[in-house]
Amino acid sequence: MNTQWEAVIGLEIHTQLATKSKIFSGASTTYGAEPNTQACIISLGMPGVLPVLNEDAVRKAVTFGMAINAEIAPYSVFARKNYFYPDLPKGYQISQFELPIVGKGFLDIDVDGETKRIGVTRAHLEEDAGKSLHENFHGLSGIDLNRAGTPLLEIVSEPDMRTAKEAVAYMRKLHELVRYLEICDGNMQEGSFRCDANVSVRPKGQAEFGTRAEIKNINSFKFVEKAINHEIERQIELIENGGTVVQETRLYDSVKDETRSMRSKEEANDYRYFPDPDLLPVFISDELKSEIKAHLPELPEEKKLRFKTDYHLNDESATILTSSRDVANYFEEVVKLSHCESTICANWITGELSAALNRADLDISDSPIDATRFAGLVARIADDTISGKIGKQVFEFLWNTADSADDIIEKQGLKQITDTGAIEAIIDTILVANEKQAQQYRDGNEKMFGFFVGQVMKAMQGKGNPAEINKILKIKLS
């Protein structure tokens, strides 16, 4: 970015709450149902129907608010946000405006080794709209109203971010948090977690904000970064060429890597908000807040600090292992069952297991190797039954079969050879066959030692105990 300019970025994250039913009705929120089979008469706003607030959605909103140290409103109100779009069946959306359920809070992010606090302006409950479908309709649009009425928590940040990198770090931190709290599954492909980015630019040192554009419905971390960077460059180029940024809503095209204008940006008065006459105000008691606070899980930052202290992990390992509750639980279960040093468990989970999961595009909760079988592998490496190299072979068998590590080692004959007599005999044979290289080592060419280690390991098919091989080789070559 041109160093004369500074970007100002705020994000609005739409988080689908993990309730079994919709926010104002008992209709199912299950993903993937046939179009319009979960569009109940309440979500459609049929005459005479009355919405009833889902208590679980309220609890989840309060849970989130407490996790970001936010103000929880003792009194909040639902409002009607009026606009007309084909996938909004009632012609209005029930949302919150002046009195949201969650007030000011914050999240701390780490970018390039520095911690920055990002303010959260508010988080309010609202219902989702339906979905417009344009594929396979030959110039027409289809409307699927299954999503209509699905509970959302819209989390609005302060305009505290200055780079796309900071915006992605904040979005990732929020994504991690809502999954930790188990208030949202965070599935971006299914639309459970999506982002609108508000972007403006201003000359460096200027206090006044520039005119912002809002980029709608971005559903991946990669696209958020690309969309923001493109929009920053677009606005700078526009201003430097004598143009003016217009306040508008834009769409990010990931194929062309560009943002395009959708419509002029509406202000609050365009939506003609007014309190919903069918819904009572929401009162949050101190007793409810105390109950929810008592059941808050250990949060990511607390868990990361504990892992570093209790398990003696470095910052990188602790960060990876606390990236989700499932990963953290898996690690602690492996440590408990293997009775091994936590560092070896951490290294194998963040290394071999993480790589395999990434290749297969699987979460750890779907891993073919459960914590019990993985602990068996780590235990056999730790007690020198197998070497780390052989451990990788055992891992492949664990991944592709239901056998335990012990069964695989036995069946495949992979047990490490620790018999010093057997190792000595093989070393003697190799030294006789390589007298020239042995003399080179004795003459000071220390690189030859690695040559002999390799020859011995090859002769023993990788099953020799490395420590014993090194020890005996040093004696024999002295």
Side-chain angles (χ1 to χ4, degrees), residues 187-471:
N187 192 318
M188 300 175 85
Q189 289 74 30
E190 295 179 3
S192 297
F193 190 90
R194 54 193 195 268
C195 170
D196 298 341
N198 292 289
V199 181
S200 66
V201 297
R202 62 186 177 187
K204 273 246 174 103
Q206 176 179 298
E208 183 183 352
F209 291 159
T211 302
R212 65 188 169 92
E214 181 181 28
I215 312 167
K216 293 289 284 186
N217 286 335
I218 320 170
N219 67 346
S220 84
F221 300 117
K222 180 176 74 173
F223 292 160
V224 165
E225 185 166 15
K226 283 176 168 285
I228 290 173
N229 279 330
H230 180 276
E231 183 60 21
I232 290 169
E233 294 302 326
R234 184 191 74 85
Q235 291 187 21
I236 291 172
E237 185 179 345
L238 182 63
I239 296 168
E240 288 184 341
N241 289 334
T244 304
V245 176
V246 177
Q247 183 166 323
E248 62 181 344
T249 299
R250 298 181 70 84
L251 171 74
Y252 175 65
D253 184 331
S254 59
V255 176
K256 296 183 179 179
D257 188 26
E258 66 179 20
T259 62
R260 293 199 302 271
S261 181
M262 290 173 64
R263 59 180 182 271
S264 61
K265 174 63 181 168
E266 299 91 344
E267 297 287 359
N269 58 353
D270 294 318
Y271 291 122
R272 304 187 316 283
Y273 283 99
F274 65 89
D276 192 295
D278 293 334
L279 287 162
L280 294 170
V282 178
F283 292 90
I284 305 296
S285 67
D286 289 339
E287 290 76 18
L288 179 62
K289 287 193 288 185
S290 297
E291 178 200 333
I292 291 173
K293 188 172 185 179
H295 289 90
L296 278 179
E298 184 181 36
L299 298 178
E301 288 301 319
E302 299 166 349
K303 195 180 288 288
K304 180 180 172 181
L305 183 61
R306 179 170 67 82
F307 275 28
K308 289 168 73 172
T309 303
D310 292 359
Y311 296 116
H312 312 292
L313 301 178
N314 61 34
D315 190 76
E316 182 181 5
S317 292
T319 299
I320 295 170
L321 292 170
T322 57
S323 61
S324 78
R325 283 177 74 175
D326 286 340
V327 172
N329 291 341
Y330 190 99
F331 165 72
E332 293 202 280
E333 189 72 5
V334 169
V335 173
K336 176 184 170 185
L337 294 172
S338 66
H339 307 291
C340 295
E341 284 188 15
S342 51
T343 48
I344 188 172
C345 299
N347 290 341
W348 275 83
I349 292 171
T350 59
E352 206 70 20
L353 181 61
S354 290
L357 291 170
N358 287 337
R359 286 194 298 269
D361 195 24
L362 293 173
D363 286 329
I364 201 162
S365 57
D366 300 315
S367 171
I369 311 174
D370 63 22
T372 301
R373 295 170 69 231
F374 197 84
L377 167 64
V378 175
R380 294 294 80 82
I381 296 167
D383 68 11
D384 285 335
T385 298
I386 57 173
S387 65
K389 185 175 180 181
I390 295 295
K392 292 184 178 183
Q393 293 182 43
V394 176
F395 178 88
E396 290 299 321
F397 283 106
L398 284 171
W399 185 270
N400 293 303
T401 72
D403 291 344
S404 69
D406 285 339
D407 288 342
I408 292 164
I409 293 165
E410 187 67 32
K411 286 179 184 177
Q412 302 299 323
L414 297 173
K415 191 171 182 180
Q416 188 165 253
I417 299 170
T418 56
D419 181 352
T420 55
I423 295 171
E424 274 194 55
I426 290 170
I427 288 175
D428 287 340
T429 302
I430 288 169
L431 290 177
V432 168
N434 296 277
E435 289 182 1
K436 183 179 176 182
Q437 288 86 345
Q439 190 57 49
Q440 287 176 356
Y441 173 78
R442 294 185 180 108
D443 290 341
N445 186 350
E446 294 187 359
K447 290 182 179 178
M448 283 296 109
F449 191 81
F451 164 77
F452 281 109
V453 171
Q455 290 295 306
V456 176
M457 290 300 287
K458 183 179 178 182
M460 302 184 75
Q461 297 179 309
K463 299 176 194 174
N465 183 299
E468 287 297 328
I469 291 170
N470 277 268
K471 179 181 172 184

